[in-house]
Amino acid sequence: MAKKKNKYYAYSMNGSEGIVHSWPECEAIVKGQKARYKGFPSETEARTWLDGGAVYENKVKKKKKRQAELPAEAIYFDAGTGRGVGTETRVSDKDGTALTWMAVRPEEVTKEGNILLKDKTNNYGELMGCYLALKIALKLGRKIIMGDSKLVIEFWSLGKIRKETSANDPDLLALVRKVQKERKLFEKEGGKIERVSGDDNPADLGFHK
């Protein structure tokens, strides 16, 4: 059976994506850029690839293998701004099932299972994710929390924040203190917080893919 000829080329780079009708057109867009691109025989297949995160097939397999090795009992957290509506925070289990609802009011949870933090930075969203994950882990008796933010895990959640940063953002400072308190309680009961790659984080919102 003859191989289908590619008639569509999908690309994703620097937060933008699109589908064009020829390789020369695609090459002109992605040349010299840090981009992902791939040819497809149909526009539907091209769109499916983009909607799935523009991930190359071999990377998908490697990602699934790495994720399979993650602790099943861990609670995961992440944040992102890619939808364009503000910072969103998500807490999940290893399978990516949202658990955010367990630590907030029902009306605060979006249809995607996240909470929306308008006028807040992505780092604030990550810290909020850690706070909610701590709450949920303590409620469920889980002993491991994982996220991909070094700033949150190694500094802010331990109460380490620059004076100039806290002085300019009292809301952030207040949250740092709350997370620091919850983390002490969590660790007192034998819990630990570890880092996971952003590419492998089950709570990943998918915006950076």
Side-chain angles (χ1 to χ4, degrees), residues 62-149:
K62 290 180 180 179
K63 178 178 179 177
K64 287 183 177 180
K65 182 178 180 180
R66 292 194 304 268
Q67 286 188 325
E69 297 172 351
L70 292 173
E73 70 276 17
I75 302 295
Y76 301 83
F77 69 90
D78 193 25
T81 58
R83 209 184 305 276
V85 295
T87 296
E88 293 179 70
T89 294
R90 181 181 184 86
V91 180
S92 80
D93 62 14
K94 180 184 175 181
D95 295 327
T97 302
L99 300 176
T100 321
W101 60 272
M102 296 185 67
V104 297
R105 297 189 302 272
E107 60 269 24
E108 294 182 85
V109 183
T110 68
K111 63 180 181 179
E112 293 82 16
N114 313 324
I115 61 168
L116 178 61
L117 304 169
K118 292 186 177 180
D119 302 318
K120 295 298 182 183
T121 66
N122 187 74
N123 285 332
Y124 183 96
E126 292 277 4
L127 184 63
M128 178 61 75
C130 184
Y131 177 67
L132 299 179
L134 283 164
K135 286 283 191 181
I136 295 169
L138 286 166
K139 182 182 294 186
L140 296 178
R142 304 287 183 88
K143 301 302 181 183
I144 304 176
I145 289 174
M146 303 188 78
D148 55 55
S149 173

Side-chain angles (χ1 to χ4, degrees), residues 183-199:
R183 178 167 183 171
K184 285 182 178 179
L185 178 59
F186 178 64
E187 292 180 335
K188 184 178 180 181
E189 297 189 6
K192 57 183 179 179
I193 302 180
E194 299 180 352
R195 289 184 64 196
V196 61
S197 166
D199 291 331

Side-chain angles (χ1 to χ4, degrees), residues 155-196:
F155 296 95
W156 285 357
S157 64
L158 293 170
K160 300 176 182 178
I161 184 171
R162 292 180 178 178
K163 290 183 179 180
E164 58 269 29
T165 301
S166 60
N168 294 327
D169 195 337
D171 287 346
L172 174 62
L173 178 60
L175 184 56
V176 165
R177 297 299 180 231
K178 288 169 65 176
V179 175
Q180 181 184 18
K181 180 180 179 180
E182 290 295 322
R183 178 167 183 171
K184 285 182 178 179
L185 178 59
F186 178 64
E187 292 180 335
K188 184 178 180 181
E189 297 189 6
K192 57 183 179 179
I193 302 180
E194 299 180 352
R195 289 184 64 196
V196 61

